[in-house]
Amino acid sequence: MALPRVLRARPAVLAAAGAVLAAGAVVLAGQDGRTDGDRPDDRPRGVLTPGGAGRALAPETGRELLARDPKASPHARAVQQLLADLEREARAGRSGGTVIGQHVEAHNELYNPEYGDYRGTKPVGYYYRKAVDITGKLPGFVETDLGPGYGRSGWGVGNPRSYSADRWPSCTAGWQYTDDAVDLMTAVWSGHPRPADGTYGASGTQRNCDGTTTELPDNGGGPAGLVGMSFHQPYPGSDVKSFDRVLCSASPGAKDPGWFARVVDGAGDTPEYRALLKDLSFLADHLEYLAAHDVPVLLRPYHEMNAADCSRGFWWSGQKPADYQALWRITYHYLVETRGLHNLLFAWTPVSWDGAPGVDPWDYYPGERYVDVVGVDDYSGSPAHPIGTGEVWTKRYYDGLAGYGKPRILAESFAVPVNSRQPDTLRRTPWTVWTVWGQSLTADNLTPDQPGNSNADVKATYDNGLALTGGSGPFGADVDWSGLHVR
């Protein structure tokens, strides 16, 4: 496979992204104090060291993030350093482990009775908690989404809150999930339930203005993992917020080849550009609340941009690479510079590039200074039938992203990494994070995804010696996540 254009003059596999830092850097270590590289195959589970919430952060920690954003928050720097350390260990041939992640489709859990493994609506966080039901353990990473909405007109929110009450319609049907998604992120980062700390929903139960009650899953009451957010944004100017309006085939771009260029025409201040900024302000208002409480977010906007054409992807997919890069940079500058959000790590994740569904993504790369993490959404092949004769499952994507020199994540997959067909995935392709998409964690769903994960496969993943799981206290996490809570 050809190297990305921006890297063709460089080796395919570079040296580790982050060199070992001076004392105070976040590293993984065994419970006996040895580094992961020194541990035997049956090594004890990892913990973050030096431990202790509130520890002062060394100046060198997260230096790659600081190079992009000199104002990056301490927690964001600690998370970036953790991912860089995992990546460095993997490149050195001594994997420090893979954080096992779970995407939560909050809108489907709360409103779609045909979603999941039984008929009926579910509390937000159902598939976060489902991992415990199967394995006794929690994911170490949870991703939510403010989009795409659930068929309502215009953006809205649930309860009137400090960050949204005067900006968006509140107590509107179909929007409570946005509150719950943000609260789930806070719950995972800070623990749940937890003492009052100025955030919403800390006690464990919240009465909502629509008469419903939100009860998020208990995760031990202490720091329980990492959090992220994708944004399935309906096309700018869409009057209805729903998943079908995220698709390119339903956007103005399906019939008007000049529409997308107008969306990114900030110099011309087009109506389409102003509509884009309105959507980004909805995202920013929620991220601003998380920033105020120093919750670091792995933000994954405008993913799967490398669909072959408009008929196969989202409204930002299959566009001219320069226009896509402009979209990414507009988003970056708005969030970081205009809104002053310094709790973000930006993740760029094309869809699997084998021609079905995606093509080579390299020309879409937004640029070194706009990206912290690279990854792939892998919906090609299956554990039983990997793409390519004789190929190691997911390895073409793992190797293909190596040249960027950044932490690599498997951002979306229907499959857990360790299963009866592929028992050695975490050693052969040690992604820093592997995230399972929504209901695909379970096999017996009303509308099943393919391939289905058996309970035995899910348990094999969470019990694997290279899996880094979440939670605190009784959940037996593989990581002391409080080690990331620095100042």
Side-chain angles (χ1 to χ4, degrees):
M1 173 180 292
L3 282 173
R5 184 177 61 183
V6 295
L7 301 175
R8 285 173 190 162
R10 300 163 61 185
V13 179
L14 306 180
V20 177
L21 300 182
V26 179
V27 297
L28 285 173
Q31 292 175 344
D32 58 1
R34 294 177 292 167
T35 64
D36 278 319
D38 297 327
R39 287 187 291 183
D41 289 345
D42 59 349
R43 66 194 187 284
R45 302 304 176 97
V47 294
L48 287 169
T49 61
R55 177 181 60 83
L57 194 65
E60 302 91 345
T61 303
R63 61 182 178 183
E64 293 166 2
L65 178 58
L66 285 172
R68 175 182 69 73
D69 181 5
K71 297 181 181 179
S73 73
H75 287 173
R77 289 168 56 194
V79 170
Q80 191 277 330
Q81 188 63 57
L82 169 62
L83 297 178
D85 286 346
L86 291 173
E87 180 69 26
R88 185 190 67 249
E89 292 295 291
R91 288 172 185 255
R94 48 179 192 268
S95 174
T98 295
V99 181
I100 303 303
Q102 178 66 41
H103 183 92
V104 171
E105 292 186 275
H107 66 295
N108 273 324
E109 289 187 344
L110 197 59
Y111 298 127
N112 185 355
E114 301 300 311
Y115 181 81
D117 57 354
Y118 70 87
R119 182 166 282 103
T121 58
K122 300 158 184 68
V124 168
Y126 177 81
Y127 272 98
Y128 173 57
R129 177 71 192 189
K130 193 67 179 179
V132 172
D133 298 338
I134 299 171
T135 71
K137 300 178 181 180
L138 284 164
F141 171 73
V142 174
E143 182 182 71
T144 65
D145 199 320
L146 287 181
Y150 207 72
R152 304 295 176 175
S153 297
W155 294 111
V157 295
N159 300 299
R161 291 184 164 186
S162 60
Y163 60 87
S164 61
D166 298 329
R167 304 175 186 182
W168 309 101
S170 58
C171 293
T172 50
W175 288 109
Q176 178 57 42
Y177 83 86
T178 59
D179 289 7
D180 295 349
V182 168
D183 290 350
L184 179 61
M185 295 173 70
T186 309
V188 172
W189 175 253
S190 299
H192 190 77
R194 61 191 178 277
D197 58 0
T199 61
Y200 293 98
S203 67
T205 302
Q206 178 174 280
R207 292 288 298 173
N208 301 317
C209 60
D210 63 1
T212 63
T213 299
T214 295
E215 295 187 33
L216 296 175
D218 185 333
N219 58 22
L226 311 177
V227 296
M229 182 181 285
S230 58
F231 190 34
H232 282 82
Q233 172 193 350
Y235 68 81
S238 175
D239 56 341
V240 175
K241 307 304 180 186
S242 61
F243 182 76
D244 66 299
R245 299 299 182 94
V246 184
L247 301 177
C248 186
S249 58
S251 76
K255 297 180 180 179
D256 180 357
W259 172 79
F260 192 88
R262 295 195 298 275
V263 170
V264 297
D265 185 6
D269 193 28
T270 62
E272 293 86 353
Y273 173 75
R274 292 195 295 273
L276 171 65
L277 292 188
K278 182 177 181 179
D279 291 348
L280 291 179
S281 71
F282 182 75
L283 173 64
D285 288 346
H286 293 78
L287 292 174
E288 193 171 63
Y289 163 73
L290 295 169
H293 296 281
D294 205 6
V295 178
V297 178
L298 189 63
L299 182 64
R300 199 166 60 88
Y302 306 125
H303 56 303
E304 302 182 18
M305 75 304 298
N306 59 317
D309 54 52
C310 182
S311 68
R312 301 191 193 184
F314 305 125
W315 60 263
W316 57 83
S317 303
Q319 304 293 339
K320 295 177 181 178
D323 287 343
Y324 172 81
Q325 291 170 336
L327 174 66
W328 184 283
R329 294 171 187 177
I330 288 167
T331 302
Y332 176 92
H333 289 300
Y334 178 78
L335 295 177
V336 177
E337 297 172 5
T338 302
R339 297 298 296 267
L341 300 177
H342 303 290
N343 61 324
L344 306 178
L345 281 76
F346 286 82
W348 178 73
T349 62
V351 74
S352 42
W353 50 90
D354 53 16
V359 298
D360 279 0
W362 319 123
D363 290 343
Y364 289 97
Y365 187 63
E368 179 77 9
R369 62 164 295 197
Y370 300 102
V371 176
D372 303 299
V373 174
V374 295
V376 64
D377 297 0
D378 182 18
Y379 293 114
S380 295
S382 68
H385 302 288
I387 292 297
T389 303
E391 284 196 16
V392 174
W393 185 42
T394 77
K395 195 171 189 302
R396 74 160 58 184
Y397 314 121
Y398 187 76
D399 290 348
L401 294 165
Y404 290 113
K406 297 181 182 291
R408 289 167 287 179
I409 65 173
L410 198 299
E412 294 183 23
S413 177
F414 286 150
V416 291
V418 180
N419 51 72
S420 59
R421 298 291 188 137
Q422 301 286 343
D424 203 29
T425 303
L426 297 184
R427 190 172 301 279
R428 299 172 83 179
T429 51
W431 301 91
T432 60
V433 180
W434 182 297
T435 301
V436 176
W437 185 262
Q439 69 166 3
S440 61
L441 186 69
T442 52
D444 298 326
N445 298 324
L446 299 176
T447 55
D449 297 316
Q450 296 296 330
N453 295 300
S454 69
N455 284 356
D457 289 342
V458 176
K459 196 170 189 311
T461 290
Y462 276 73
D463 288 345
N464 188 274
L466 291 171
L468 302 178
T469 60
S472 63
F475 292 99
D478 300 304
V479 169
D480 175 13
W481 296 103
S482 70
L484 292 173
H485 289 240
V486 294
R487 64 178 190 276

